Amino acid sequence: MRLYDPKEIEEKWQKVWEDENLFHVGEDAGKQKYYLLEMFPYPSGRIHMGHVRNYSIGDVIARYKRMKGYNVLHPMGWDAFGMPAENAAIQHGTQPAVWTYDNIAYMKTQLKRLGFGYDWARELATCDVEYYGWEQWVFLKMYEKGLVYRKNAPVNYCKLCSTVLANEQVEDGRCWRCGEEVVQNELTQWFFAITKYADELYEYANKLPGWPERVLNMQKNWIGKSHGVEVDFPLERGGLLRIFTTRPDTLYGVTFMVLAPEHELATELAHATPYEKEVLSFVQKARSQDRSFRLELSGSKEGVFTGAYAINPLTNQRVPIYVSNFVLAEYGTGAIMSVPAHDQRDFEFAKAYGLPIVVTIMPEVGAEDKVIDAASMEAAYEGDGIMVNSGPFNGRQNREAIPEIIAYLEGRGIGKGRVNYRLRDWGISRQRYWGAPIPIIYCESCGVVPVPYKDLPVKLPLDLQIKMVGKSPLSDYPAFYRVNCPTCGREARRETDTMDTFVESSWYFLRYACPGYDQAPLDRKRVDYWMPVDQYIGGIEHAVLHLLYSRFFNRVMHELGFVSVKEPFANLLTQGMVIKDGAKMSKSKGNVVDPDYLIQRYGADTARLFCLFASPPEKDLDWNDKGVEGCYRFLQRVWRLVIERVDTLKETLPTIEQDSASVENKEMSRLVHMMHKTIKKVTEDAERFHLNTAIASIMELVNAIYKFVEVERNDGELRLLKGVIEHLIVILSPFCPHITEELWQAVGNKGYVIDHPWPAYNEAYVQEERVTVAVQVNGKLRDTCEVERDLDETALKQVVLSLEKVKKHLENREIRKVIVIPNKLVNIVCDTN
């Protein structure tokens, strides 16, 4: 008998698929399209098991949908710009482009070795000039529409990466990529006006039923939509201080104001006063502090008095103005009213600096044991209740009074109701080399001048030496930055910052639809055929970064007339991590499993099967070497099941009886029932991404077939056997495509199993065959029950012991044993009393 040799089989079929261009796809108006996409990888040098798992999930669904008759687009590319390439270039004395393209070549070989069915004709790398050149074109269009602007602003800065980070790229006060602590700097930056789409991005999050609720909540929380009121507090020395609050019901309790260190009035109010030196020192210190430290409720709330006062417009009381580290410039107006009786941060600050506390909300009768007394408060009362010390609103329920308070403020011209957002515009300037150049020129005479469209692309020079310095190396490369102004012709300077690499990943899914198109960034006709992406697969860590940016960028492309749909991804699956020894696989922890080793030892089909079988896709996968061995043994069983009788099967015409009355015997009947149940289970599970349970049901079918072939079979039974085995091969093929292609042809079929239609199941066979079982206690009939035929003994005992009549007869009796005659009788032997 021919032995199972994964390497030989897999390399054979991978070559056939490539030679036949089997996964190339084009637009077909006569077919329903299905666009399946996994988040593309960064070409770091080697794929890891997280890639294997992610892309195996996607490949199963792509193959399944193709067999269901869909026109399936399943592309792959490379998120190729970024810091690691620069770091590697410095470490190894090479160029980022060389390092990147070498890695792409190797990783592409690895992906092909796993048998993933990608349309490689659509491959792209974001560092290709053909790609980022069109991105520059879009940048200019956004600039014309007012969606790109430049300003001086406080920014998050990573010293190790020597570049600016967007707020979304700071995680617990550290750089999302290298983990270095982030500090605050002030730089002139380019911004995308994502806030113009804040409301639409927020509201459309409620129109994405195919997305995990967790991801939608993370995006909505980040956008941070809140309803409130802007209130103008007169400054004692002239002018106004505007604040935004969602709690106008506490305005009568304002006893001090707080400015963010970045607020324009933070130093201006203290100018030429005895407080100026102390304020300037504090502002400088606070601006350098990490954002997450400043936001942390339990962190130190430091502040300094500016020497200035505002007037509470409702009480006419003087309230001192402080600068504190717990207020951020990007929230509201960068200034807050402080109500220490009803906000814990304000309470702690007031206690620390000896500021007054005025209670304006009392718990309703019965809600608390006693009335709140400001002098004895140990914490802020942040609950709802009845308004007190609140002028005409005394005695009102605080939440019910809010609309009237806003109307009162608007009527007196001191406030206006509005909606506020936590989201801030996306800073895209990066002081690094390996990224898309920003197509802007600076001229002393003409100012900021966009690069003319005819001069695009602005190409990244590939011959400069990379250094680890705190600015873009392009700024030290005259051949790049020296340029004549396109408007006046005088000597000018090119922008040396590059774009945030998240810009490239915000539209690549659109370019896959029309690779090679050279008239515009996108071909509207082809894009509209494929978009939106029907199923997107990637990690939860991209919920607020890539996914939010992609939704924004897709809207920009919609407004530019390149795509009809506003939302890019109809459905989203966030797969879990791969865990080993209790931690996420990583080189630093020394717990990685090399995919190359796994493929060499067990084969790609085993690697795929284990990643799909060991855990539901959305859950973390706990690595288990024995589980890998078990999957390998299963495929060997499938191989032997077919190859041991291949000569007979090859000469046998397959048949599947569709009428149970015509099936020749009960064993055949059970096998047919099992086959149809398995097809139904795998079909339903594939639609729901329950791939682990789909595989489990296939394993059960294999067991049933082995049981069927334990005895020699006649011609009719052999025809049925071949029919069942062919169906087994077809439904296993999306998971393990190499072994199934080999077995498909081994049993005498022509063509490819990937081109075979997905089998239908007969509902008549899917219904469980049930039998009536007699239930005895000490030999006397006490009840009967209907159960599934061939139910295992453990399950049958559980059913019987749950029957009310049986429980009554067993009351206060000890069961000695349970005798089971399958499908007929259960006799419970117990004590007599």
Side-chain angles (χ1 to χ4, degrees):
M1 183 189 74
R2 180 184 166 200
L3 298 177
Y4 175 46
D5 185 343
K7 185 175 186 297
E8 176 190 339
I9 293 169
E10 291 169 1
E11 290 181 354
K12 166 189 169 181
W13 285 107
Q14 287 159 16
K15 185 176 186 305
V16 169
W17 296 335
E18 187 166 357
D19 290 346
E20 294 293 323
N21 206 13
L22 203 62
F23 297 101
H24 178 63
V25 65
E27 296 75 41
D28 184 345
K31 274 188 172 183
Q32 186 175 350
K33 68 92 180 178
Y34 191 86
Y35 186 175
L36 186 287
L37 184 63
E38 307 98 357
M39 295 178 186
F40 62 171
Y42 182 81
S44 57
R46 299 290 186 273
I47 65 170
H48 51 68
M49 289 311 302
H51 291 129
V52 177
R53 187 187 190 199
N54 187 8
Y55 302 149
S56 294
I57 294 167
D59 198 56
V60 168
I61 302 305
R63 289 172 177 271
Y64 163 74
K65 290 293 185 179
R66 174 170 170 164
M67 297 172 81
K68 291 283 284 185
Y70 289 86
N71 191 32
V72 177
L73 173 58
H74 190 205
M76 177 51 68
W78 312 95
D79 190 9
F81 274 140
M83 280 298 302
E86 287 192 50
N87 294 338
I90 295 166
Q91 184 179 352
H92 301 295
T94 185
Q95 293 292 330
V98 173
W99 183 84
T100 299
Y101 283 111
D102 284 349
N103 288 349
I104 286 174
Y106 187 82
M107 292 174 69
K108 184 175 179 179
T109 300
Q110 288 182 297
L111 294 180
K112 287 184 174 182
R113 185 63 185 85
L114 281 157
F116 297 138
Y118 296 124
D119 182 355
W120 285 107
R122 297 173 184 266
E123 179 186 15
L124 62 82
T126 57
C127 62
D128 294 340
V129 175
E130 295 79 10
Y131 183 82
Y132 73 74
W134 286 118
E135 183 170 290
Q136 293 169 342
W137 189 96
V138 174
F139 177 98
L140 296 180
K141 287 296 181 184
M142 293 174 67
Y143 182 78
E144 292 170 5
K145 295 177 74 67
L147 294 175
V148 178
Y149 65 93
R150 186 171 180 253
K151 71 172 182 178
N152 199 44
V155 294
N156 306 301
Y157 195 81
C158 174
K159 292 181 178 179
L160 184 60
C161 292
S162 303
T163 193
V164 166
L165 302 172
N167 290 341
E168 295 87 342
Q169 294 166 331
V170 180
E171 299 174 351
D172 297 324
R174 297 186 177 275
C175 174
W176 73 283
R177 187 180 291 281
C178 73
E180 181 75 5
E181 186 174 354
V182 171
V183 298
Q184 298 291 302
N185 278 357
E186 190 152 313
L187 294 172
T188 303
Q189 302 285 295
W190 285 99
F191 289 83
F192 281 168
I194 190 174
T195 53
K196 291 187 176 181
Y197 298 83
D199 191 67
E200 189 175 335
L201 290 168
Y202 185 93
E203 293 302 328
Y204 267 75
N206 299 316
K207 302 176 183 179
L208 294 170
W211 283 45
E213 194 66 29
R214 179 185 175 193
V215 174
L216 295 175
N217 286 336
M218 290 171 73
Q219 289 210 359
K220 289 164 72 173
N221 289 338
W222 187 262
I223 296 168
K225 184 176 182 178
S226 55
H227 295 267
V229 62
E230 280 185 344
V231 182
D232 291 328
F233 280 68
L235 296 173
E236 192 175 54
R237 298 201 295 259
L240 295 171
L241 179 59
R242 177 167 292 178
I243 61 92
F244 173 82
T245 180
T246 60
R247 295 294 307 276
D249 52 319
T250 63
L251 270 165
Y252 286 89
V254 174
T255 60
F256 61 99
M257 313 289 289
V258 182
L259 305 178
E262 298 83 5
H263 196 286
E264 58 184 4
L265 292 178
T267 55
E268 184 181 321
L269 291 176
H271 180 62
T273 72
Y275 303 94
E276 183 174 20
K277 184 176 180 180
E278 186 180 4
V279 170
L280 288 173
S281 175
F282 177 82
V283 165
Q284 184 176 7
K285 172 188 173 184
R287 284 183 176 183
S288 66
Q289 288 178 332
D290 162 53
R291 289 177 76 259
S292 64
F293 169 78
R294 289 169 60 183
L295 280 170
E296 182 61 43
L297 189 64
S298 60
S300 174
K301 294 161 188 62
E302 302 170 343
V304 62
F305 179 45
T306 64
Y309 289 85
I311 304 298
N312 186 325
L314 294 185
T315 66
N316 291 319
Q317 296 294 313
R318 297 170 81 227
V319 290
I321 303 172
Y322 281 73
V323 179
S324 176
N325 62 346
F326 75 84
V327 181
L328 299 179
E330 60 258 37
Y331 181 76
T333 63
I336 67 168
M337 64 178 209
S338 294
V339 187
H342 305 296
D343 182 276
Q344 187 60 28
R345 290 184 310 173
D346 296 348
F347 179 83
E348 292 171 6
F349 192 90
K351 286 291 187 181
Y353 291 90
L355 297 167
I357 298 173
V358 175
V359 175
T360 58
I361 299 174
M362 288 285 187
E364 296 186 50
V365 177
E368 298 283 335
D369 292 335
K370 59 183 180 180
V371 174
I372 297 173
D373 176 30
S376 60
M377 290 181 75
E378 297 181 356
Y381 174 68
E382 296 181 317
D384 293 331
I386 303 301
M387 296 180 69
V388 297
N389 300 320
S390 299
F393 301 100
N394 283 337
R396 298 292 306 280
Q397 205 281 335
N398 66 303
R399 295 289 176 181
E400 294 176 359
I402 286 177
E404 293 179 36
I405 296 171
I406 294 175
Y408 182 75
L409 294 169
E410 290 178 336
R412 297 181 65 182
I414 56 176
K416 184 173 180 61
R418 63 161 292 175
V419 177
N420 195 48
Y421 298 92
R422 178 174 177 263
L423 181 69
R424 289 296 173 261
D425 283 338
W426 175 10
I428 64 154
S429 295
R430 298 293 178 268
Q431 294 70 50
R432 300 308 309 160
Y433 160 72
W434 192 234
I438 295 174
I440 291 291
I441 293 169
Y442 302 108
C443 174
E444 288 188 4
S445 300
C446 305
V448 176
V449 182
V451 172
Y453 289 100
K454 65 180 180 62
D455 293 339
L456 295 178
V458 177
K459 294 183 180 179
L460 199 63
L462 301 180
D463 57 348
L464 56 73
Q465 184 179 1
I466 309 299
K467 299 177 181 178
M468 183 63 80
V469 294
K471 61 181 180 179
S472 170
L474 293 171
S475 62
D476 293 326
Y477 193 66
F480 177 77
Y481 67 72
R482 285 181 180 169
V483 64
N484 292 329
C485 173
T487 301
C488 70
R490 293 187 177 91
E491 186 176 330
R493 185 180 182 90
R494 193 186 297 281
E495 171 66 79
T496 55
D497 283 356
T498 53
M499 291 191 228
D500 181 4
T501 56
F502 277 97
V503 179
E504 283 82 67
S505 61
S506 294
W507 71 287
Y508 77 106
F509 47 87
L510 293 165
R511 185 67 182 178
Y512 277 146
C514 51
Y517 188 64
D518 61 2
Q519 302 302 304
L522 300 171
D523 179 352
R524 172 69 177 264
K525 184 176 180 181
R526 284 191 280 172
V527 169
D528 279 349
Y529 175 82
W530 290 112
M531 287 297 291
V533 175
D534 294 281
Q535 183 64 60
Y536 201 32
I537 303 173
I540 188 71
E541 66 272 16
H542 298 292
V544 178
L545 287 164
H546 163 61
L547 289 170
L548 184 61
Y549 292 157
S550 295
R551 294 181 62 215
F552 158 67
F553 216 87
N554 197 84
R555 279 167 167 74
V556 172
M557 300 304 268
H558 170 76
E559 291 188 3
L560 292 177
F562 289 117
V563 59
S564 294
V565 298
K566 287 189 174 183
E567 288 292 343
F569 313 121
N571 297 285
L572 174 69
L573 172 70
T574 53
Q575 90 284 349
M577 296 184 296
V578 180
I579 306 295
K580 190 172 187 290
D581 304 327
K584 179 183 177 181
M585 281 191 183
S586 71
K587 290 181 181 178
S588 62
K589 294 184 175 67
N591 65 345
V592 297
V593 174
D594 183 5
D596 284 349
Y597 164 78
L598 200 65
I599 294 168
Q600 185 67 29
R601 179 166 181 179
Y602 298 105
D605 282 339
T606 294
R608 293 167 58 118
L609 189 66
F610 173 74
C611 287
L612 298 165
F613 179 56
S615 174
E618 71 280 4
K619 302 293 185 182
D620 290 344
L621 185 157
D622 240 328
W623 189 264
N624 185 320
D625 291 333
K626 291 182 178 179
V628 178
E629 291 278 358
C631 288
Y632 182 59
R633 287 196 301 271
F634 168 72
L635 291 181
Q636 287 179 314
R637 290 191 78 214
V638 174
W639 178 263
R640 291 194 303 270
L641 178 65
V642 178
I643 298 301
E644 285 179 355
R645 47 193 58 83
V646 68
D647 292 336
T648 302
L649 292 172
K650 190 183 296 185
E651 302 302 323
T652 302
L653 293 175
T655 183
I656 297 296
E657 297 289 346
Q658 296 300 316
D659 181 1
S660 59
S662 66
V663 177
E664 296 180 19
N665 57 47
K666 291 182 179 180
E667 289 181 338
M668 291 176 69
S669 176
R670 281 197 292 271
L671 187 60
V672 171
H673 274 84
M674 184 69 173
M675 183 198 71
H676 284 280
K677 284 171 58 180
T678 304
I679 294 170
K680 180 181 182 183
K681 175 68 172 168
V682 175
T683 302
E684 292 176 347
D685 283 352
E687 294 290 345
R688 299 176 298 183
F689 285 87
H690 295 178
L691 306 182
N692 57 320
T693 53
I695 293 169
S697 66
I698 293 173
M699 291 177 172
E700 291 176 6
L701 178 60
V702 171
N703 291 339
I705 299 173
Y706 262 101
K707 187 174 182 179
F708 184 78
V709 299
E710 285 177 354
V711 298
E712 190 173 341
R713 294 297 177 182
N714 60 36
D715 289 346
E717 292 168 331
L718 287 173
R719 287 195 298 274
L720 175 68
L721 174 63
K722 182 172 182 179
V724 173
I725 285 178
E726 285 188 349
H727 281 68
L728 166 68
I729 292 170
V730 171
I731 63 176
L732 180 60
S733 67
F735 305 90
C736 304
H738 307 90
I739 188 174
T740 47
E741 286 286 7
E742 187 72 11
L743 295 178
W744 182 250
Q745 293 203 348
V747 297
N749 291 296
K750 295 181 179 180
Y752 306 110
V753 70
I754 184 68
D755 289 330
H756 191 277
W758 188 257
Y761 56 87
N762 188 325
E763 194 66 49
Y765 285 108
V766 172
Q767 302 302 319
E768 300 286 357
E769 186 180 0
R770 304 181 72 82
V771 294
T772 300
V773 174
V775 182
Q776 296 179 345
V777 177
N778 291 337
K780 292 184 178 180
L781 181 66
R782 297 301 183 187
D783 205 349
T784 60
C785 64
E786 190 179 83
V787 296
E788 180 185 342
R789 175 180 285 279
D790 297 326
L791 189 65
D792 68 84
E793 286 195 15
T794 301
L796 180 58
K797 290 176 184 177
Q798 290 177 345
V799 171
V800 167
L801 293 174
S802 69
L803 297 172
E804 289 298 326
K805 291 182 180 179
V806 173
K807 286 195 289 186
K808 181 179 180 181
H809 284 282
L810 293 177
E811 193 172 356
N812 299 322
R813 294 183 178 188
E814 182 179 348
I815 299 174
R816 293 184 176 181
K817 62 180 177 179
V818 179
I819 302 169
V820 176
I821 301 176
N823 300 321
K824 293 183 179 179
L825 174 70
V826 176
N827 184 24
I828 303 167
V829 180
C830 60
D831 291 338
T832 58
N833 53 12

